[in-house]
Amino acid sequence: DTGVSQNPRHKITKRGQNVTFRCDPISEHNRLYWYRQTLGQGPEFLTYFQNEAQLEKSRLLSDRFSAERPKGSFSTLEIQRTEQGDSAMYLCASSSGLAGGPETQYFGPGTRLLVL
Amino acid sequence: AQSVAQPEDQVNVAEGNPLTVKCTYSVSGNPYLFWYVQYPNRGLQFLLKYITGDNLVKGSYGFEAEFNKSQTSFHLKKPSALVSDSALYFCAPTSTGFQKLVFGTGTRLLVSP
C-alpha cells in the first residue's frame, strides 16, 4: 500500500498559463477527492469521483477548473488561465468507496502551486 | 449545512502534560467526525474518527477524542504530550449523504520541551 501520490509536488507558473496536476489514489480505492488549501486556512472541498463519475463539484470550482478520472484510477486537475488567486496547495485524497456513507479519506502530500 | 469551529488558534502545552484541542460542529443528520494532523508542507494524516457507538474514540499516536452529542463537541485529547506532537490539527465533520469533509482553520499545537 503505497499511499496517495501527487505530481508534481511544486509548480510555479505565470499568470494566464494552464497547469495540470495528477493524483494517483491508493490502489483499489474507488473514491477520489480534490481539495484546495490556501495559506492559513483549512482544506476546502473542490470535487469528488466515484470511479470515473464526477458526483459533486463545489462552487469554488470555476469554469477555469476541470477534473477528470477517465478510467477510474488516476485523476487530473487542470486550471486554465491561472490567476494569482489560484496559488494554493492542491490536495488529493482517496477512500475505498465500499461504505455507503462517509469514509476515512487518505490524503496525498499535495501540489503547491505558485502563480506569478 | 455543515460547519465546524475550533475556538483556539493555538494551544501551548509542556511536554508530558495532558493536551486538549477543542472542536464543535454543526451538521444536518447523523454526524461523522474526523481528526487530521498536518505537519509543515505535508498533506493531512488521519488520526481518528467517530461514526457510531462508544463516545470515546481511540486513534493513532495515543490520541483519543470524546463525542458529546448534547454539546455538539468532539474534543481531541492526549494524556501526555510529546514535542513531536507539535503540528496543525483539523477537526472535520460530515454527515450521512455527504462525502466532503468540512475543515475549519485548524488549531496549532505547540509542545514545549
Side-chain angles (χ1 to χ4, degrees):
Chain A
D1 191 354
T2 57
V4 178
S5 62
Q6 293 186 245
N7 288 289
R9 294 291 308 277
H10 303 273
K11 179 71 177 179
I12 300 175
T13 191
K14 294 182 179 180
R15 187 178 56 186
Q17 297 294 305
N18 299 343
V19 294
T20 300
F21 310 140
R22 177 178 169 125
C23 171
D24 288 88
I26 293 171
S27 180
E28 305 299 328
H29 274 193
N30 295 324
R31 289 182 185 157
L32 187 147
Y33 314 78
W34 285 100
Y35 291 82
R36 181 178 70 182
Q37 185 178 20
T38 54
L39 202 60
Q41 301 297 316
E44 298 171 290
F45 171 81
L46 293 178
T47 188
Y48 99 93
F49 293 83
Q50 174 82 36
N51 298 311
E52 64 274 11
Q54 188 174 18
L55 296 186
E56 187 175 351
K57 292 195 292 186
S58 164
R59 286 170 292 177
L60 291 174
L61 218 62
S62 73
D63 291 344
R64 297 184 297 106
F65 288 70
S66 63
E68 294 182 342
R69 195 182 183 199
K71 296 182 180 180
S73 56
F74 73 91
S75 175
T76 57
L77 178 68
E78 181 183 16
I79 309 175
Q80 296 181 327
R81 305 182 302 282
T82 53
E83 303 173 355
Q84 290 183 323
D86 297 331
S87 296
M89 174 81 88
Y90 290 84
L91 295 166
C92 175
S94 70
S95 68
S96 67
L98 299 177
E103 300 178 316
T104 301
Q105 297 177 26
Y106 297 92
F107 284 80
T111 295
R112 184 170 294 281
L113 172 66
L114 178 61
V115 182
L116 302 176
Chain B
Q2 303 167 97
S3 65
V4 60
Q6 292 180 242
E8 301 154 317
D9 290 337
Q10 184 165 307
V11 169
N12 297 304
V13 64
E15 188 174 33
N17 284 358
L19 69 88
T20 299
V21 182
K22 296 179 180 178
C23 169
T24 59
Y25 66 90
S26 175
V27 300
S28 54
N30 293 324
Y32 291 65
L33 301 159
F34 298 82
W35 275 101
Y36 285 85
V37 60
Q38 187 174 35
Y39 295 96
N41 298 314
R42 302 272 294 276
L44 280 73
Q45 294 180 26
F46 169 70
L47 281 180
L48 51 80
K49 67 182 178 185
Y50 171 83
I51 301 298
T52 187
D54 195 346
N55 288 345
L56 184 63
V57 178
K58 295 188 182 296
S60 306
Y61 314 118
F63 284 93
E64 59 188 29
E66 186 166 10
F67 170 67
N68 187 315
K69 186 174 183 178
S70 63
Q71 296 185 3
T72 62
S73 67
F74 190 53
H75 301 330
L76 182 70
K77 300 181 180 183
K78 187 174 182 180
S80 178
L82 300 173
V83 172
S84 58
D85 293 331
S86 298
L88 188 58
Y89 289 80
F90 290 98
C91 176
T94 186
S95 66
T96 308
F98 295 91
Q99 299 300 335
K100 65 180 181 182
L101 298 174
V102 176
F103 292 89
T105 53
T107 298
R108 185 166 302 281
L109 173 66
L110 289 178
V111 182
S112 56

